[in-house]
């Protein structure tokens, strides 16, 4: 039954939910819909958090009642979603903003030149493409507006607003970017200790800026392929699995088949799954025999049965006819229809299992799994299984922490156009106190990937 959960993870549904262009009504329609259908709501709005949640909603409702800007309305929706700290709960914006223009006086520009470097307002540049004046300009939720002074990009002209800052706390801002003539949100901290704008590429003229440490490749001449095997020494092999995506199954399968003899001859095996996210368990099943030492406990998930969620998944399954086996689809239909007539009940997507394989392979005797902060979803499920092996040691940086809530639906809104992805399944690990969201799977040995010798360190400590 675990395969069902993985298949669902790869797919998403669409529900069209239109509302008139009124920010208060728009905001209320979002929070009412998610309260009914978002599986994380039942865990994240509890007697302990209810007062905080209620105060947050009331504050956003008051702000929504006064907002006329579509962009600022979307920012309120985004702030609401952030309360839940769920990487599978996401806002996607289809609305195309109208470019705003602000005329600045010479006096204003002269004042900006005198601003201390610790001030938010001032003159900034970005990669010799733009020169902007970041000025205090209160409008709606906005605290500051970034006005183009010079641009080598034809799409942007002097006087146009390329981004806004909306205060969200002490030294904290929401950044509303229009850089691609689309709306994108980010968060920044601007203080004496931290220059969030510099981290995003906006720097004061003459500033050297900050260069992020570059992740060093595993090998000096790193193959461009996301899947390959390389012999490192007489006893150690390196296997790169760049994705568990179903679309890459045959490519990865061919690499494993072509190198099976060599992989099984190595006492030590390094499996590098950095940057790996959502995918299919078909690939993880291929790797299991290399890791297995004892029965592996696999915790199942539950589906949040509501009329909207059942309807959308039923429509999805109809669209898969002819693409996957009929008996598989029937199994899925039976699973979701356990919830027919229910409003907000968790129904099992399959029991917890003990995965048992034939006797463990003596070779490889030791396996290193390398991870980083971009590992999520299927990669994290693979890690939870791998850590139960006596021959596995995990190296790198904590994973993304995005596995507890999964299998997204999409609800669409119009006026302005946007959609919200929200998960409809929850791992039973959450109720057991074993959730990993916002924490990630922790490596046993941390690595600094900016160090050119990180792979040699793995081999030494394996």
């Amino acid at each position: 039954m675990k395969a069902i959960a993985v298949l669902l993870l790869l797919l998403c549904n669409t529900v069209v939910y239109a509302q008139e262009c009124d920010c208060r009504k728009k905001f209320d329609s979002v929070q009412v819909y998610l309260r009914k259908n978002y599986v994380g709501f039942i865990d994240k709005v509890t007697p302990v958090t209810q007062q905080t949640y209620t105060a947050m909603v009331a504050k956003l409702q008051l702000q929504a009642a006064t907002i006329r800007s579509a962009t600022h309305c979307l920012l309120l929706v985004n702030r609401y979603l952030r309360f839940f700290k769920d990487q599978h709960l996401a806002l996607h914006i289809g609305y195309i903003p109208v470019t705003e223009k602000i005329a600045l006086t010479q006096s204003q520009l002269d004042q900006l030149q005198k601003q201390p470097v610790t001030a938010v307002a001032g003159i900034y540049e970005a990669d010799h493409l733009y020169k902007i004046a970041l000025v205090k300009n209160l409008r709606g939720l906005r605290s500051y507006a970034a006005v183009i002074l010079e641009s080598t990009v034809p799409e942007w002209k002097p006087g146009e607003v390329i981004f806004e800052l909306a205060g969200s706390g002490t030294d904290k801002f929401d950044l509303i970017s229009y850089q691609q003539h689309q709306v994108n949100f980010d968060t920044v901290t601007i203080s004496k200790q931290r220059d969030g704008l510099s981290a995003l590429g906006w720097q004061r003229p003459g500033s050297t800026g900050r260069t992020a440490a570059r992740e060093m490749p595993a090998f000096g001449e790193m193959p461009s392929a996301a899947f390959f095997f390389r012999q490192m020494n007489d006893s150690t092999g390196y296997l790169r699995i760049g994705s568990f995506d179903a679309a890459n199954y045959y490519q990865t399968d061919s690499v494993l088949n072509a190198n099976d003899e060599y992989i099984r001859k190595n006492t030590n095996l390094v499996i590098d799954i950095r940057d790996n996210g959502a995918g299919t368990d078909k690939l993880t099943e291929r790797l299991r025999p290399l890791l297995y030492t004892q029965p592996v406990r696999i915790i199942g998930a539950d589906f949040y049965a509501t009329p909207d969620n059942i309807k959308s998944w039923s429509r999805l399954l109809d669209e898969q006819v002819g693409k996957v086996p009929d008996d598989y689809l029937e199994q899925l239909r039976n699973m979701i229809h356990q919830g027919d007539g229910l409003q907000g009940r968790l129904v099992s997507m399959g029991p917890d299992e003990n995965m048992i394989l034939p006797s463990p392979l003596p070779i490889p005797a030791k396996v290193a799994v390398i991870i980083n902060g971009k590992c999520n979803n299927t990669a994290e499920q693979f890690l939870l299984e791998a850590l139960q092996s006596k021959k596995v040691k995990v190296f790198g940086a904590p994973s993304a922490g995005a596995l507890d809530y999964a299998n997204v639906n999409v609800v669409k809104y119009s006026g302005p156009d946007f959609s919200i992805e929200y998960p409809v399944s929850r791992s039973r690990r959450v109720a057991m106190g074993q959730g990993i969201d916002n924490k990630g799977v922790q490596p046993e040995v941390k690595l600094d990937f900016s160090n050119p010798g990180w792979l040699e360190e793995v081999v030494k400590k394996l």
Side-chain angles (χ1 to χ4, degrees), residues 9-223:
L9 181 64
L10 301 176
L11 307 170
C12 78
N13 304 286
T14 299
V15 179
V16 177
Y17 196 88
Q19 285 285 327
E20 63 183 284
C21 187
D22 178 290
C23 190
R24 173 60 188 267
K25 289 183 178 180
K26 187 71 62 183
F27 175 78
D28 284 343
S29 69
V30 168
Q31 58 106 356
V32 168
Y33 184 90
L34 292 179
R35 188 169 66 236
K36 291 180 179 178
N37 295 288
Y38 165 48
V39 66
F41 196 93
I42 59 179
D43 295 316
K44 303 190 180 195
V45 182
T46 66
V48 174
T49 63
Q50 181 67 61
Q51 186 174 356
T52 301
Y53 173 80
T54 301
M56 180 267 297
V57 170
K59 178 181 177 179
L60 294 179
Q61 286 175 326
L62 284 174
Q63 291 176 320
T66 64
I67 284 177
R68 297 295 175 263
S69 163
T71 300
H72 289 184
C73 188
L74 293 173
L75 176 58
L76 284 186
V77 172
N78 197 55
R79 286 178 172 177
Y80 174 75
L81 299 184
R82 285 208 308 254
F83 170 86
F84 298 97
K85 298 179 180 179
D86 187 334
Q87 295 181 52
H88 282 110
L89 184 63
L91 175 67
H92 297 277
I93 300 170
Y95 164 73
I96 305 299
V98 176
T99 302
E100 180 185 0
K101 292 186 176 182
I102 295 178
L104 299 178
T105 66
Q106 188 59 47
S107 175
Q108 287 176 296
L109 295 176
D110 291 341
Q111 287 297 319
L112 289 177
Q113 297 284 2
K114 300 175 183 178
Q115 292 292 323
V117 294
T118 55
V120 175
I123 306 297
Y124 293 81
E125 297 175 340
D127 298 328
H128 305 292
L129 297 176
Y130 308 100
K131 185 175 184 180
I132 63 166
L134 186 58
V135 296
K136 192 161 190 176
N137 187 283
L138 304 180
R139 174 177 170 269
L141 299 177
R142 181 167 77 196
S143 307
Y144 295 86
V147 182
I148 294 285
L149 296 178
E150 299 173 11
S151 171
T152 61
V153 179
E155 291 80 12
W156 285 99
K157 305 291 190 298
E160 295 179 337
V161 176
I162 194 169
F163 71 81
E164 301 175 85
L165 294 179
S168 59
T170 304
D171 298 329
K172 296 184 182 299
F173 300 88
D174 285 299
L175 185 146
I176 311 168
S177 173
Y178 305 109
Q179 201 159 338
Q180 305 300 324
H181 289 288
Q182 298 173 336
V183 180
N184 289 290
F185 298 128
D186 208 334
T187 56
V188 294
T189 299
I190 305 174
S191 64
K192 292 181 180 179
Q193 292 74 34
R194 186 173 179 183
D195 182 3
L197 288 176
S198 177
L200 294 176
W202 296 100
Q203 299 169 8
R204 305 273 186 172
S207 170
T208 56
R210 303 174 184 176
T211 303
R214 184 171 67 92
E215 185 172 294
M216 302 301 293
F219 303 100
E221 295 181 2
M222 190 74 171

Side-chain angles (χ1 to χ4, degrees), residues 400-431:
L403 184 64
D404 297 343
Y405 304 89
N407 302 324
V408 297
N409 276 359
V410 178
V411 54
K412 287 188 174 181
Y413 295 82
S414 59
D417 292 338
F418 68 97
S419 62
I420 295 174
E421 288 185 354
Y422 68 96
V424 297
S425 72
R426 181 188 73 165
S427 170
R428 287 191 283 273
R429 286 181 291 97
V430 175

Side-chain angles (χ1 to χ4, degrees), residues 227 241-246 248 273 276-280 283-284 287 378-379 382:
F227 314 93
I241 305 292
S243 172
F244 288 132
D245 194 296
N248 300 314
I273 65 166
N276 204 325
T280 173
L283 284 176
T284 63
L287 297 173
T378 305
F382 172 73

